[in-house]
Amino acid sequence: RTATDGPNTIGEGADVMMECPGCGARYADSFKFCGHDGTALKPVNQADPLLGHVIAGAYRLQKALGAGGYGVVYEANHERLPIKVAVKVLSKQRTQDAVAVARFKREVETEAVVQHPNVVKVIDYGHDPLAGYFIVMEHLDGQDLGSCLEEGKLPHILDTYAIIEQAGGALSAAHAVGIVHRDVKADNVFLVADSSQTQGFNVKLLDFGVAKITRPLFANDGSPKRVDLHSTMASTMLGSPCTVSPEVLRGISADARADIYSFGAMIYEMLTGQILFAARNVEAMLERVVFERPTRPSRVRGADRLPEELDQLVVQILEKDPANRPHTMDDVIKRFHRIQPEVQTAWAGHFLSSATGRRRLIKFKFKQGGVRS
């Protein structure tokens, strides 16, 4: 996977990060090139001046959890309450970038407005004299779905359904208040370890930094508070090449159906272990997104267990023309529920029919220290 705008997990206790000599963006040590300008990264072995710093008189930064093109996420302890939080700090270099600052503020506005148990909770935000712009969020323990898929950990069909229902519910809540996420992908779906749940996790939808707001938001007193930062990002390609919708690439204004397409691309990867349109480079991938029809999930090697009803639904969600897709996330979730008995029967039959040559069921396992917010 390429570097994303959000933080990338770095191992607990790691003190080596990679830095772009051009823009100053920092990454986990597994990255070699800057995701923004392609410059070769150089290792940085220096003490972080923010460690131990108290932001807003309340949040003491304890350790870096992850770093990405837009900044660093820290674990922090509240000075007066026995709670642990995550603090995202915009990199100093990005504070001079109007697009980066606008995206940072947008993330605060949208995540605060979308009140849903499967959306990461924003606790505080502001500007600190030393750290700069920051967002305080709930602390999450677990692993993002993208990392699970990257490691070959395909979810059981019941886990897939749990992710569809919870992440889809979060998207539906966002759409209901006029917010289009525009960067739905596995990396932005976080699986919070929770032993009380049947599937062993709860889902949190992350990173509304490039969300499009299609109607006025409201201030605490009920008065309209328009937050329209879309114009600051007009020249930027929004979304991941692996899940971006055809209409976005054609320059058509994105609505909720663009999120539905991206959601379908993510489901495709969960079911098959393959990204929707693999290619030799990003340009070729995007060309395929615009012009080619996807291979049916059941025709991907190892995914022949998938029944026709599921094939048809995923293909419809991935239609090039938004008018031919389900129009709402609620419709998507209902249709998945409608075919769940057939899907589970076909899935069980596939794994029980033969003792050899069958694909292994892999459940999610959470790494020690694999924390992200």
Side-chain angles (χ1 to χ4, degrees):
R1 293 176 188 274
T2 57
T4 63
D5 291 334
N8 302 291
T9 302
I10 57 179
E12 184 166 343
D15 56 2
V16 177
M17 289 194 293
M18 305 297 286
E19 184 175 69
C20 173
C23 68
R26 291 190 175 185
Y27 297 85
D29 58 5
S30 59
F31 290 92
K32 305 302 180 185
F33 298 94
C34 180
H36 300 279
D37 55 28
T39 304
L41 302 176
K42 294 183 177 181
V44 178
N45 294 281
Q46 62 182 34
D48 188 335
L50 291 182
L51 291 181
H53 177 62
V54 179
I55 286 184
Y59 312 104
R60 185 176 296 275
L61 305 183
Q62 300 291 342
K63 62 183 177 181
L65 299 175
Y70 273 74
V72 179
V73 174
Y74 295 89
E75 179 182 296
N77 290 333
H78 197 285
E79 287 288 274
R80 297 178 297 279
L81 299 173
I83 61 173
K84 185 164 57 175
V85 297
V87 179
K88 182 185 289 188
V89 176
L90 185 66
S91 69
K92 286 294 181 66
Q93 292 81 4
R94 292 288 173 185
T95 60
Q96 306 304 315
D97 181 345
V99 172
V101 174
R103 171 175 178 165
F104 210 69
K105 292 179 178 178
R106 177 188 296 272
E107 182 174 356
V108 174
E109 296 284 356
T110 53
E111 290 174 359
V113 167
V114 182
Q115 298 295 315
H116 192 275
N118 298 115
V119 174
V120 65
K121 187 180 299 182
V122 171
I123 300 170
D124 199 356
Y125 74 100
H127 186 277
D128 179 83
L130 178 61
Y133 292 103
F134 67 90
I135 304 173
V136 182
M137 299 170 289
E138 62 180 316
H139 187 276
L140 305 178
D141 288 296
Q143 190 174 17
D144 67 82
L145 177 60
S147 296
C148 293
L149 296 174
E150 188 71 27
E151 295 167 5
K153 298 176 184 176
L154 296 184
H156 184 278
I157 194 62
L158 295 179
D159 295 338
T160 298
Y161 261 86
I163 293 167
I164 289 171
E165 181 171 3
Q166 294 182 45
L171 275 178
S172 179
H175 296 166
V177 294
I179 294 173
V180 182
H181 189 285
R182 296 200 296 186
D183 197 17
V184 177
K185 57 184 178 182
D187 295 331
N188 284 335
V189 173
F190 197 88
L191 308 176
V192 183
D194 187 346
S195 59
S196 69
Q197 299 298 314
T198 302
Q199 66 274 11
F201 63 84
N202 277 317
V203 172
K204 291 286 185 177
L205 183 63
L206 310 178
D207 199 356
F208 281 79
V210 296
K212 176 183 178 183
I213 300 170
T214 61
R215 67 180 69 166
L217 301 180
F218 291 85
N220 292 334
D221 60 0
S223 61
K225 180 183 179 184
R226 183 172 295 279
V227 183
D228 188 1
L229 306 176
H230 178 53
S231 60
T232 65
M233 304 184 187
S235 62
T236 306
M237 194 207 86
L238 301 173
S240 165
C242 298
T243 58
V244 66
S245 70
E247 63 267 28
V248 168
L249 295 178
R250 290 191 177 106
I252 300 172
S253 182
D255 60 19
R257 294 170 297 180
D259 278 353
I260 289 173
Y261 178 96
S262 298
F263 193 73
M266 184 182 75
I267 293 171
Y268 188 99
E269 189 174 358
M270 283 195 287
L271 295 174
T272 68
Q274 303 293 323
I275 61 173
L276 186 57
F277 290 112
R280 64 185 181 277
N281 55 47
V282 172
E283 290 76 14
M285 181 186 293
L286 298 181
E287 184 174 352
R288 293 190 67 192
V289 171
V290 174
F291 296 108
E292 290 189 26
R293 295 185 63 83
T295 301
R296 284 181 172 269
S298 64
R299 294 182 183 174
V300 176
R301 179 178 296 179
D304 54 309
R305 67 190 179 279
L306 302 178
E308 183 178 357
E309 295 89 343
L310 184 56
D311 245 14
Q312 291 175 347
L313 176 53
V314 174
V315 168
Q316 185 181 359
I317 293 171
L318 296 171
E319 283 283 351
K320 303 295 185 189
D321 185 348
N324 294 331
R325 299 174 203 149
H327 289 187
T328 69
M329 278 306 310
D330 285 342
D331 288 340
V332 171
I333 295 170
K334 288 177 182 176
R335 292 185 61 180
F336 270 103
H337 277 307
R338 195 176 302 140
I339 64 173
Q340 186 169 358
E342 293 83 2
V343 172
Q344 288 183 220
T345 299
W347 187 286
H350 174 85
F351 289 108
L352 296 175
S353 61
S354 173
T356 61
R358 66 190 183 188
R359 193 166 185 168
R360 184 163 54 97
L361 280 176
I362 307 176
K363 300 289 286 184
F364 290 113
K365 294 180 181 178
F366 297 96
K367 295 179 176 179
Q368 285 292 331
V371 183
R372 177 177 167 185
S373 298

